[in-house]
């Protein structure tokens, strides 16, 4: 249970430590840290970021310091924070996901796990586990069995019917569902006649994907009974309120953090203002009200 519904999306806030010098991070609902794997990863070749008209393409490839360094160097800092930190975990095999989850299990400072079965930027694993209900449920059940921490699954929009995947992971015992991760995309440099990203393709985030994310949250919230967390292009309180009215219990602010470190706190203040203005006392009075 979070103090408030505004979370930070993985991969847009590092481990929160640098941002703690810029904003009052303790006011956030939760921080989801960078995708973490069993071993450190160097990530994909550069360039890894391309700005498009209304969104950002990334092909980072899960560059990270590895779970042992997270446990040793980052979690002790988090243990002194009021804001819960959730670790986004990724892997190439189910065994890797299990090992990462097990290593995080008893670590003070780690409040939960976000199971990333939706990264489109690695050649093995990642999104492979998020595109069929069977594999998504297997990965979820394996991680749930490896930890006592609450587990959120982060779903990919790059699927035929996201509702089937959501129902499958709910059946496998997950505690909440976050959606959406990035939409697969690309950009081409016409002067060079080559893809702009070093890895050719990447994942699109930011305002361009908000209508897709909103639609998917709306559909998923109708078919599951666990909390849904909306993610994709949230830049202001109005965006967040749209997700909440579509059925989300919380939102994650992602790409917008890269341009404005204060944006998540602005979103939170805006939601409070909206509720105060209308005499709405509980967020639950807004969740899903736009659903037919
Ligand atoms: C990446 O590291 O490539 C992005 C992470 C993700 O899409 O989950």
């Amino acid at each position: 249970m979070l103090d408030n519904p505004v979370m930070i999306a993985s991969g847009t806030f590092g481990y929160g430590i640098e941002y703690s010098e810029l904003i009052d991070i303790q006011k956030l609902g939760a921080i989801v840290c960078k995708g973490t794997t069993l071993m450190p990863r160097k990530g994909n070749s550069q360039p890894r970021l391309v700005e498009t008209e209304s969104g950002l393409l990334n092909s980072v490839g899960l560059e990270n310091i590895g779970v042992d360094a997270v446990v040793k160097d980052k979690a002790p800092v988090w243990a002194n924070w009021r804001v819960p930190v959730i670790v986004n975990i990724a892997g190439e095999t189910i065994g890797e996901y299990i090992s990462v989850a097990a290593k995080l299990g008893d670590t003070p400072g780690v409040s939960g796990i976000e199971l990333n079965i939706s990264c489109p930027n690695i050649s093995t694993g990642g999104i492979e586990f998020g595109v069929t209900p069977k594999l998504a449920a297997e990965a979820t059940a394996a991680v749930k069995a490896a930890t006592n921490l609450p587990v959120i699954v982060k779903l990919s929009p790059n699927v035929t019917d996201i509702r089937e995947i959501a129902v499958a992971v709910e059946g496998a015992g997950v505690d909440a569902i976050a959606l959406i991760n990035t939409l697969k995309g690309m950009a081409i440099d016409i002067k060079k006649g080559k893809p702009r990203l070093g890895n050719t393709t990447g994942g699109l985030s930011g305002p361009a994907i908000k209508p897709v994310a909103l639609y998917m949250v709306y559909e998923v919230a109708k078919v599951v009974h666990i909390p849904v967390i909306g993610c994709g292009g949230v830049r202001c309180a109005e965006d967040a309120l749209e997700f909440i009215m579509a059925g989300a219990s919380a939102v994650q602010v992602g790409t917008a953090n890269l341009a404005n470190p204060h944006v998540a706190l602005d979103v939170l203040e805006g939601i409070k203002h909206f509720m105060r203005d209308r005499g709405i006392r509980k967020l639950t009075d807004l969740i899903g009200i736009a659903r037919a």
Side-chain angles (χ1 to χ4, degrees):
M1 196 64 186
L2 307 179
D3 275 359
N4 72 67
V6 180
M7 304 170 66
I8 296 291
S10 169
T12 63
F13 215 71
Y15 299 94
I17 294 165
E18 299 79 3
Y19 278 80
S20 69
E21 290 166 18
L22 300 173
I23 63 160
D24 186 357
I25 56 163
Q26 309 303 340
K27 288 187 179 158
L28 295 165
I31 294 170
V32 186
C33 85
K34 210 171 159 26
T36 298
T37 50
L38 187 56
M39 304 303 291
R41 286 177 63 99
K42 289 203 179 114
N44 291 332
S45 52
Q46 300 282 356
R48 296 170 172 179
L49 292 181
V50 172
E51 276 194 68
T52 70
E53 289 76 7
S54 53
L56 182 70
L57 278 169
N58 93 78
S59 65
V60 173
L62 293 172
E63 176 181 349
N64 78 98
I65 58 178
V67 66
D68 289 337
V70 168
V71 168
K72 181 168 155 290
D73 301 330
K74 308 298 179 188
V77 180
W78 302 336
N80 295 313
W81 291 358
R82 193 178 69 85
V83 57
V85 178
I86 294 164
V87 178
N88 178 291
I89 70 167
E92 297 190 359
T93 62
I94 289 191
E96 268 186 57
Y97 281 104
I98 292 172
S99 303
V100 178
K103 279 175 185 267
L104 292 170
D106 296 323
T107 305
V110 177
S111 296
I113 286 176
E114 183 177 79
L115 172 59
N116 183 348
I117 51 171
S118 46
C119 174
N121 299 327
I122 55 175
S123 52
T124 317
I127 195 172
E128 275 177 15
F129 295 109
V131 291
T132 71
K134 184 171 176 290
L135 285 179
E138 265 173 45
T140 304
V143 167
K144 275 297 288 179
T147 182
N148 289 323
L149 290 168
V151 178
I152 301 166
V153 174
K154 187 165 187 182
L155 297 186
S156 172
N158 303 294
V159 295
T160 313
D161 185 350
I162 198 162
R163 292 170 304 180
E164 287 181 354
I165 316 271
V167 168
V169 298
E170 180 182 42
V174 78
D175 300 285
I177 295 174
L179 67 150
I180 57 175
N181 204 328
T182 55
L183 270 166
K184 206 156 180 172
M186 71 183 296
I188 291 175
D189 181 335
I190 57 166
K191 289 197 194 108
K192 295 184 183 151
K194 289 198 177 334
R196 285 186 185 271
L197 288 168
N199 196 46
T200 306
T201 61
L204 182 66
S205 60
I209 71 166
K210 196 192 90 183
V212 178
L214 198 58
Y215 160 70
M216 291 191 166
V217 164
Y218 181 83
E219 289 298 326
V220 165
K222 283 198 279 196
V223 295
V224 299
H225 305 94
I226 50 177
V228 171
I229 302 165
C231 178
V234 176
R235 290 186 298 172
C236 58
E238 289 75 15
D239 293 335
L241 286 160
E242 281 192 78
F243 276 101
I244 291 163
M245 290 181 188
S249 303
V251 295
Q252 292 186 355
V253 180
T255 305
N257 293 310
L258 305 176
N260 173 12
H262 208 272
V263 63
L265 293 180
D266 294 345
V267 169
L268 178 58
E269 276 314 303
I271 295 172
K272 286 186 188 162
H273 191 261
F274 180 90
M275 291 177 65
R276 242 187 342 257
D277 263 9
R278 284 158 182 78
I280 300 165
R281 307 251 294 267
K282 304 186 304 302
L283 193 74
T284 45
D285 291 342
L286 287 176
I287 295 172
I289 62 166
R291 286 215 306 262

